[in-house]
Amino acid sequence: MWGIVYRKAPMKVTSNGVFQGDDPLDFALPLAILQICLVLVVSRGLAYLLKPLRQPRVIAEIIGGILLGPSALGRNESYMKAVFPPRSLTVLDTLANIGLIFFLFLAGLELDLKSVRQSGKRVIAIAMAGINLPFAIGIGSSFVLKQSIAKGSDNAAFLVFMGVALSITAFPVLARILAELKLLTTNVGRTAMSAAAINDIAAWILLALAVALSGHERSPLVSLWVFLAGCGFVICAIIIVPPIFKWVSQRCHEGEPVEEIYICGTLAAVLAAGFVTDAIGIHAMFGAFVVGILLPNDGPFASALVEKVEDLVSGLFLPLYFVSSGLKTNVATIKGLQSWGLLAFVIFTASFGKILGTFVVSLLCKVPLNEALVLGFLMNCKGLVELIVLNIGKDRKVLNDQTFAIMVLMAVFTTFVTTPLVMAVYKPARKGGIADYKHRTIGRKNANSQLRILACFHGARNIPSMINLIEASRGIQKRDDLCVYAMHLKEFSERSSSILMVHKARRNGLPFWNKASHSHSNHVIVAFEAYRQLSQVSIRPMTAISSMNSIHEDICATAERKEAAVIILPFHKHQSLDGSLNITRNDFRWVNKRVLEHAPCSVGIFVDRGLGGTSHVSASNVSYRVTVLFFGGGDDREALAYGGRMAEHPGIRLLVIRFVVEPPKEGEILRVDVGDSSSSTKLISQDEEFLDEFKVKTANDDSINYEERIVKNAAETVAIIREVNGSSLFLVGSRPVSEVACALKSSECPELGPVGGLLASQDYPTTASVLVLQQYNNDGAPINFTPELEEHLPDQDSGSV
């Protein structure tokens, strides 16, 4: 008699709609869309809530997955049947694993094999200590678990899985924690990154061994064949992959779009490698990781590839892996004193082995005590890599529900405490200080002393005008008269491309470009290096890699460390083809605002309208008309000092216009609040003294013209400024001490001040660039536009992006 087996029909893809009686949640596509949207809302919401605690986003995603699973919301059976029914999990897990495959490809691409090979004996010793001791302790703790909650687990596989789970360090998570704490290029950060990279590679090898040992009940020889086939795959990949992608990289040039066929071919190769390793009996992600680690990551092809893949993977697919893991995690299985005691035991053994092993070997390698302790804390972070190991163990039935839940909570705890522990223990010493920092302004008594400028830029668009501004600033006296630090401001985020930026950092306090190895492939370095060779300027390109909420700290710290007299920042608007100024990115405005508030020296905001055109103008071809609009006050004196410096260049003619307010006629009342009368009188006397000195120094210089114009109101002031619209560059102060200047129309950009705001406004027709200067004043400024600025700018505390 034939037995009849009834199977529930698989879910159809799309519904006919609610109007025809269909429930969208009974169909695969609308249900998958709902699941994705729910995961994104929960994970991003938690990331926002954890932002003040400076936690990496992976913590929010792991917790979000747990909350959506049976540990929290999943306790409601109606919710689980409606949103995560068993029939939908195949589609969800498939999408999650596709995301995991490409994430592991990007993770492999993030690892810099060159730096791993060049790691010194000290880094290798620290990395090995951070693997061996935790691995041994993990094996020891596995015997405790097998005697209590993990009875019946496969012996060999369980031992190896526990050893790997406790010895792993999450390289991507560690890099983001270091960036958040601004430790990327400190000694601690460099050592931790290199050791974590070695740890990561070793952990994947051990995990491959664990997977080979698990799930083969037929014969022990099967595990051997799986392992040998995996080794064969790696050897073939080492022979085949690098030459092919080296050829592809050579055909992709900086600044040119990468052909679509190369991108598609690479993604297909990743999936094919995943198929091969899955067929061997190892997880498909191993093939993707091997391809990623073998692909050259130092050219434009790698950058273009990461840019096209990372947002879709990390933003859409990867969060599904966290909810897939969360659906397997049931915290309710941890009940009773024994289970919670085992959780504490696992957390203690995991942290103890990792921290102690790293700490002791670091001390033996003559690492300072607090740095050795910080290295131990940093190497103890787990994150997504740990979750991948645990999920493979769960899928292979090596870990049961209770063991899996305990290990997931251990991973969350150890990663969560990493940032606060490091912040509590490690306080990097500041190099230099206020006492030995002499020249904080452009104006100074000794005009022949070296002028140090920190010129910041966001991209290639800013470079030509910035170089032309530097050329105009160099004078003609002697070669060492000007020293410029050109800082490329780059945002560090959760994206994989941020890690590729880190690999280009030079070992010099803050992230610096490594000119020796990257100048051939980076047009930014080429531009500044070419200018340095052609001019008499000492120019040093560098980059700051940080979140936009805290990059001002890097700018100010670099200015103090390099003893800069002025920081020059690009305006947050750029000139379009029709001549109007359009917002590039509002975040740049917040950066400028914070630098103005915290700078240890003078600050200039450069409104670029194409100074000198779109290319560098050589010294012999410079022909600029620079105009200083002088109303009074420290900022205007700083602008005039800069103008006097520029006038030394043979190709620059300087016009100084001093605006003098006509005294009010008898019976006329004019009231403008510019502070108390004593401070106003003091400022006027300082202005007179400064102007007298300037006129004496430049009396015989035909390239400098000085005019005094008497004005009664703001309208006359604007009319006079319009007369010099043909200037190439305006130099103005951000806080002029003058009745007529303060009476100008309020600017939409208060950080530029009334005069700078007028010159940068859409209503004022001019092709001249504008440099708005704020003089450093340790005693406080006479007039402060901060209250007005706060009305335009939301208050944002420094934090992680």
Side-chain angles (χ1 to χ4, degrees):
M1 184 175 181
W2 295 97
I4 301 175
V5 179
Y6 294 96
R7 293 183 179 177
K8 198 168 184 178
M11 297 180 77
K12 292 184 179 180
V13 179
T14 58
S15 71
N16 294 317
V18 292
F19 295 108
Q20 297 190 40
D22 282 351
D23 183 355
L25 297 185
D26 291 335
F27 296 84
L29 181 61
L31 183 57
I33 293 172
L34 175 66
Q35 290 170 345
I36 292 171
C37 293
L38 183 63
V39 171
L40 293 180
V41 169
V42 171
S43 61
R44 292 306 172 111
L46 284 171
Y48 178 79
L49 294 176
L50 293 174
K51 192 175 179 180
L53 300 178
R54 307 181 81 170
Q55 292 294 327
R57 197 173 73 199
V58 66
I59 288 290
E61 290 171 328
I62 294 175
I63 295 174
I66 293 173
L67 293 178
L68 291 172
S71 299
L73 294 176
R75 290 177 176 273
N76 186 320
E77 291 186 9
S78 300
Y79 157 81
M80 286 297 287
K81 289 180 180 178
V83 182
F84 294 106
R87 286 195 301 162
S88 72
L89 298 185
T90 302
V91 175
L92 180 68
D93 288 343
T94 301
L95 291 174
N97 278 277
I98 289 175
L100 182 65
I101 287 171
F102 285 110
F103 171 79
L104 264 295
F105 167 67
L106 294 176
L109 200 58
E110 288 177 357
L111 290 174
D112 188 4
L113 284 182
K114 291 180 182 177
S115 65
V116 172
R117 286 195 295 264
Q118 294 170 2
S119 298
K121 294 180 180 179
R122 184 179 73 168
V123 172
I124 295 173
I126 292 171
M128 289 299 101
I131 297 172
N132 295 336
L133 183 59
F135 191 84
I137 291 178
I139 291 176
S141 62
S142 66
F143 287 105
V144 177
L145 294 176
K146 279 185 67 65
Q147 295 298 321
S148 52
I149 61 173
K151 294 177 181 178
S153 299
D154 182 21
N155 283 322
F158 185 71
L159 296 182
V160 178
F161 265 102
M162 287 298 297
V164 173
L166 266 63
S167 61
I168 246 174
T169 296
F171 175 81
V173 178
L174 175 66
R176 285 156 180 83
I177 290 175
L178 290 171
E180 172 62 31
L181 300 179
K182 299 192 179 300
L183 298 176
L184 271 174
T185 51
T186 60
N187 290 330
V188 169
R190 290 195 298 268
T191 304
M193 284 280 284
S194 300
I198 296 171
N199 189 302
D200 221 21
I201 295 171
W204 290 120
I205 294 172
L206 290 173
L207 181 58
L209 175 63
V211 172
L213 291 173
S214 64
H216 302 295
E217 299 176 358
R218 295 182 181 179
S219 168
L221 287 176
V222 174
S223 297
L224 178 62
W225 283 116
V226 170
F227 181 72
L228 292 176
C231 293
F233 167 78
V234 173
I235 293 170
C236 292
I238 291 173
I239 296 171
I240 297 171
V241 172
I244 293 175
F245 286 106
K246 186 177 180 181
W247 177 81
V248 171
S249 296
Q250 290 172 348
R251 296 177 65 88
C252 300
H253 305 289
E254 190 76 41
E256 297 181 5
V258 176
E259 292 186 28
E260 184 185 7
I261 186 67
Y262 297 145
I263 302 293
C264 292
T266 303
L267 299 182
V270 172
L271 293 173
F275 174 81
V276 172
T277 51
D278 187 80
I280 289 172
I282 308 176
H283 199 285
M285 68 176 184
F286 285 104
F289 181 75
V290 170
V291 173
I293 206 170
L294 293 176
L295 194 146
N297 61 4
D298 56 353
F301 173 67
S303 300
L305 184 64
V306 170
E307 186 177 344
K308 291 179 182 295
V309 175
E310 63 181 343
D311 286 337
L312 184 64
V313 171
S314 63
L316 192 63
F317 285 120
L318 198 58
L320 297 180
Y321 189 78
F322 292 102
V323 77
S324 175
S325 175
L327 291 172
K328 302 170 191 171
T329 307
N330 189 356
V331 178
T333 59
I334 307 174
K335 51 189 175 183
L337 189 60
Q338 183 192 46
S339 294
W340 288 105
L342 287 173
L343 173 61
F345 169 75
V346 169
I347 291 174
F348 173 77
T349 52
S351 303
F352 177 78
K354 201 74 170 176
I355 295 171
L356 181 67
T358 305
F359 176 72
V360 171
V361 174
S362 299
L363 288 180
L364 293 176
C365 294
K366 298 181 180 179
V367 175
L369 180 67
N370 67 325
E371 292 188 10
L373 189 58
V374 167
L375 279 172
F377 292 148
L378 289 170
M379 296 295 285
N380 193 40
C381 76
K382 308 292 184 185
L384 176 60
V385 182
E386 174 85 0
L387 211 61
I388 294 170
V389 173
L390 298 178
N391 273 277
I392 293 176
K394 181 76 164 61
D395 293 339
R396 298 268 172 161
K397 295 183 171 49
V398 176
L399 305 177
N400 61 26
D401 290 346
Q402 194 171 357
T403 308
F404 180 77
I406 286 174
M407 297 301 290
V408 168
L409 292 182
M410 180 272 291
V412 173
F413 179 81
T414 53
T415 307
F416 188 89
V417 299
T418 299
T419 298
L421 286 176
V422 172
M423 290 175 65
V425 172
Y426 190 63
K427 300 286 190 296
R430 294 170 64 99
K431 296 180 181 179
I434 294 176
D436 56 358
Y437 187 178
K438 297 179 182 178
H439 301 300
R440 296 177 180 268
T441 60
I442 300 170
R444 60 193 63 174
K445 293 181 179 179
N446 182 10
N448 293 324
S449 59
Q450 186 185 62
L451 176 64
R452 295 190 175 192
I453 297 175
L454 177 61
C456 303
F457 60 96
H458 296 291
R461 175 187 291 157
N462 309 127
I463 293 175
S465 294
M466 190 64 74
I467 289 179
N468 290 333
L469 180 64
I470 294 168
E471 169 64 31
S473 309
R474 71 185 179 94
I476 57 173
Q477 300 298 324
K478 54 185 178 180
R479 182 173 181 81
D480 296 331
D481 202 26
L482 178 65
C483 178
V484 178
Y485 299 93
M487 176 176 275
H488 193 174
L489 306 179
K490 305 194 83 173
E491 181 180 14
F492 190 97
S493 65
E494 297 282 346
R495 306 172 69 179
S496 297
S497 53
S498 297
I499 304 295
L500 297 183
M501 287 193 295
V502 173
H503 293 321
K504 297 178 181 179
R506 179 182 172 187
R507 300 181 177 185
N508 191 342
L510 282 175
F512 276 44
W513 288 109
N514 187 337
K515 294 186 286 186
S517 61
H518 295 285
S519 59
H520 67 282
S521 63
N522 194 291
H523 58 281
V524 173
I525 303 304
V526 170
F528 283 111
E529 185 66 20
Y531 174 68
R532 184 190 66 79
Q533 294 176 358
L534 292 172
S535 68
Q536 296 181 7
V537 176
S538 171
I539 188 162
R540 304 175 190 179
M542 61 175 73
T543 191
I545 305 174
S546 188
S547 68
M548 279 296 160
N549 280 345
S550 61
I551 201 167
H552 68 282
E553 296 173 8
D554 291 347
I555 297 171
C556 296
T558 303
E560 186 157 5
R561 184 176 289 112
K562 302 302 180 183
E563 299 185 11
V566 62
I567 301 169
I568 297 179
L569 302 166
F571 190 44
H572 70 279
K573 295 182 180 181
H574 67 275
Q575 188 177 33
S576 58
L577 293 176
D578 62 359
S580 62
L581 293 174
N582 296 325
I583 294 176
T584 308
R585 184 172 168 182
N586 251 330
D587 285 347
F588 298 162
R589 188 180 184 190
W590 316 146
V591 172
N592 292 351
K593 175 207 174 218
R594 292 192 179 101
V595 173
L596 286 169
E597 292 175 350
H598 302 290
C601 60
S602 295
V603 181
I605 297 180
F606 183 44
V607 182
D608 179 21
R609 287 196 175 99
L611 179 64
T614 57
S615 60
H616 165 228
V617 179
S618 62
S620 58
N621 293 327
V622 170
S623 180
Y624 300 149
R625 291 178 59 191
V626 178
T627 302
V628 177
L629 304 178
F630 190 93
F631 292 88
D635 293 349
D636 282 28
R637 293 196 297 272
E638 191 76 346
L640 182 54
Y642 203 175
R645 169 89 189 195
M646 288 184 171
E648 295 179 8
H649 197 292
I652 291 179
R653 299 187 66 83
L654 178 68
L655 172 62
V656 181
I657 301 178
R658 184 191 183 189
F659 292 85
V660 180
V661 180
E662 181 181 9
K665 296 177 182 179
E666 188 176 349
E668 183 179 351
I669 298 175
L670 179 65
R671 181 179 179 182
V672 178
D673 185 11
V674 294
D676 62 75
S677 58
S678 61
S679 63
S680 181
T681 304
K682 181 181 176 182
L683 287 168
I684 291 172
S685 64
Q686 289 177 342
D687 291 341
E688 295 294 343
E689 181 182 344
F690 187 83
L691 287 169
D692 290 342
E693 185 179 342
F694 177 80
K695 285 186 280 188
V696 170
K697 285 182 179 179
T698 60
N700 299 321
D701 192 340
D702 296 334
S703 66
I704 300 177
N705 292 324
Y706 176 85
E707 299 178 5
E708 289 193 359
R709 307 291 290 269
I710 299 175
V711 292
K712 290 187 293 186
N713 50 44
E716 292 185 3
T717 304
V718 173
I720 293 173
I721 295 174
R722 288 181 184 273
E723 293 176 8
V724 288
N725 263 356
S727 300
S728 306
L729 175 68
F730 283 106
L731 297 176
V732 299
S734 67
R735 299 164 297 187
V737 181
S738 170
E739 299 166 358
V740 291
C742 293
L744 291 173
K745 182 181 177 181
S746 178
S747 166
E748 64 175 10
C749 299
E751 65 269 30
L752 297 181
V755 182
L758 170 69
L759 295 171
S761 68
Q762 303 285 15
D763 301 330
Y764 187 80
T766 182
T767 58
S769 298
V770 185
L771 182 62
V772 183
L773 288 156
Q774 173 183 286
Q775 184 187 51
Y776 173 78
N777 188 342
N778 202 29
D779 299 327
I783 296 181
N784 198 336
F785 284 88
T786 300
E788 184 181 358
L789 189 60
E790 294 295 341
E791 294 177 7
H792 293 75
L793 307 181
D795 184 23
Q796 298 185 3
D797 295 328
S798 179
S800 173
V801 171

